[in-house]
Amino acid sequence: MKFAHHVVFVTGAASGMGLAVARAFHEEGAVVYGADISAESLENSFEGLERAVPLAFDIADSRAVDEAFARVEADHGRLDTLVNAAGVNAPNRAALEALNEENYKGFLAMKEGRRHDPEFIEHVTDEDFDRVLRINLYGTFYTLRAAVPLLKRNGGGAVVNFSSAAALMGVAMPPYYPASKAAVLGLTREAAVELAPFGIRVNALAPGAIDTPLFRQSDDEFVDFLVGLQPIRRTAAPEEIARTVLFLAGEDGAYYTGQTISPSGGLVMQ
């Protein structure tokens, strides 16, 4: 097993890509600490994974993040890999429903040959913008900051931060999401330069249409439309993304740092 005796920390581990990543590392022999805001979801998702440790907390809370990594330090005194998969595309249920409704209006207008110009920016509140930035950007920074001493103590390791294809292309949507995900790329590059002398590699993923519960919250017809924009006209399974994470974290990816890889079916080409 490629990651036997490794200690791995995965955020957003209760579902979707985060859960697929946690399971993939576990299958390869790692001890996996999985973080998510829902204790019940984590317990259910980690059932039967004997080397998986569920830790329920809000990654937007820096004190809670520090406490979680203190647990890792107490248990193992080191860390091999950090995967920041936690993220949201809306601050709450109402905002998500409004986004889905606006997207569907645009989709119907296109089908009917009408023009539809969405309006997002002026309707975003300070509180909504702040909440998404605190999860997607601040949470990524908090976990990175807490992980670095453990990664240095380990003599090196890997960090994989989840961004989004929306950070690499123009997308009409509430600006807190692409802004936060683009900021993650800047954080990734800075950390890659700073931490390379310590043997710590830092890379980012910018996924497109991945078959997760978050992606499937949109109307099925609209989802099919989005997938149809890609040269590879299908969604990716979360397990496909997990295999990319394992590549970046393992010896095969030892020459990669500061990179943004976009598994998006060709939606993003660089």
Side-chain angles (χ1 to χ4, degrees):
M1 292 187 284
K2 291 184 178 181
F3 292 92
H5 309 300
H6 282 230
V7 180
V8 178
F9 198 106
V10 181
T11 70
S15 65
M17 290 181 281
L19 176 57
V21 168
R23 286 176 172 168
F25 274 110
H26 188 272
E27 289 172 4
E28 290 293 341
V31 173
V32 179
Y33 288 80
D36 209 286
I37 198 167
S38 171
E40 182 179 1
S41 296
L42 268 176
E43 292 289 348
N44 292 336
S45 298
F46 278 22
E47 186 175 0
L49 303 181
E50 68 277 6
R51 294 185 312 281
V53 182
L55 298 173
F57 64 92
D58 184 355
I59 65 165
D61 181 344
S62 63
R63 181 176 297 179
V65 170
D66 290 343
E67 290 174 354
F69 281 85
R71 166 76 182 274
V72 177
E73 181 175 19
D75 291 349
H76 301 280
R78 64 182 182 84
L79 182 69
D80 294 274
T81 301
L82 167 65
V83 180
N84 278 309
V88 296
N89 62 358
N92 50 57
R93 173 63 62 179
L96 180 60
E97 290 176 353
L99 172 60
N100 288 338
E101 182 179 353
E102 187 66 27
N103 284 339
Y104 195 65
K105 285 179 181 178
F107 172 60
L108 289 178
M110 185 192 63
K111 285 180 64 177
E112 296 168 2
R114 296 183 289 108
R115 181 184 178 95
H116 177 74
D117 297 316
E119 297 179 348
F120 292 115
I121 293 174
E122 62 262 49
H123 301 298
V124 173
T125 65
D126 294 355
E127 293 78 13
D128 285 354
F129 195 90
D130 184 66
R131 177 59 181 165
V132 174
L133 267 289
R134 285 196 170 278
I135 295 170
N136 293 354
L137 176 60
Y138 288 30
T140 299
F141 167 69
Y142 292 154
T143 56
L144 177 64
R145 180 177 62 185
V148 163
L150 295 174
L151 290 165
K152 287 181 176 179
R153 191 175 303 168
N154 189 51
V159 177
V160 180
N161 295 324
F162 274 61
S163 179
S164 169
L168 299 174
M169 54 189 297
V171 181
M173 65 184 304
Y176 41 62
Y177 184 73
S180 64
K181 290 300 188 177
V184 167
L185 299 183
L187 175 62
T188 297
R189 290 189 288 267
E190 188 286 327
V193 173
E194 179 180 339
L195 299 177
F198 302 96
I200 302 169
R201 297 178 295 104
V202 187
N203 292 290
L205 290 183
I210 314 301
D211 194 358
T212 65
L214 184 65
F215 186 67
R216 288 292 176 183
Q217 287 177 330
S218 299
D219 181 271
D220 287 344
E221 191 176 17
F222 181 68
V223 168
D224 291 341
F225 163 71
L226 291 177
V227 173
L229 297 175
Q230 303 173 178
I232 299 177
R233 295 185 176 180
R234 67 172 179 85
T235 58
E239 290 74 19
E240 294 179 77
I241 309 307
R243 289 194 289 272
T244 304
V245 173
L246 264 62
F247 165 77
L248 290 172
E251 293 181 1
D252 292 337
Y255 203 51
Y256 288 75
T257 198
Q259 302 301 302
T260 299
I261 297 174
S262 183
S264 58
L267 183 64
V268 175
M269 295 186 181
Q270 294 179 313

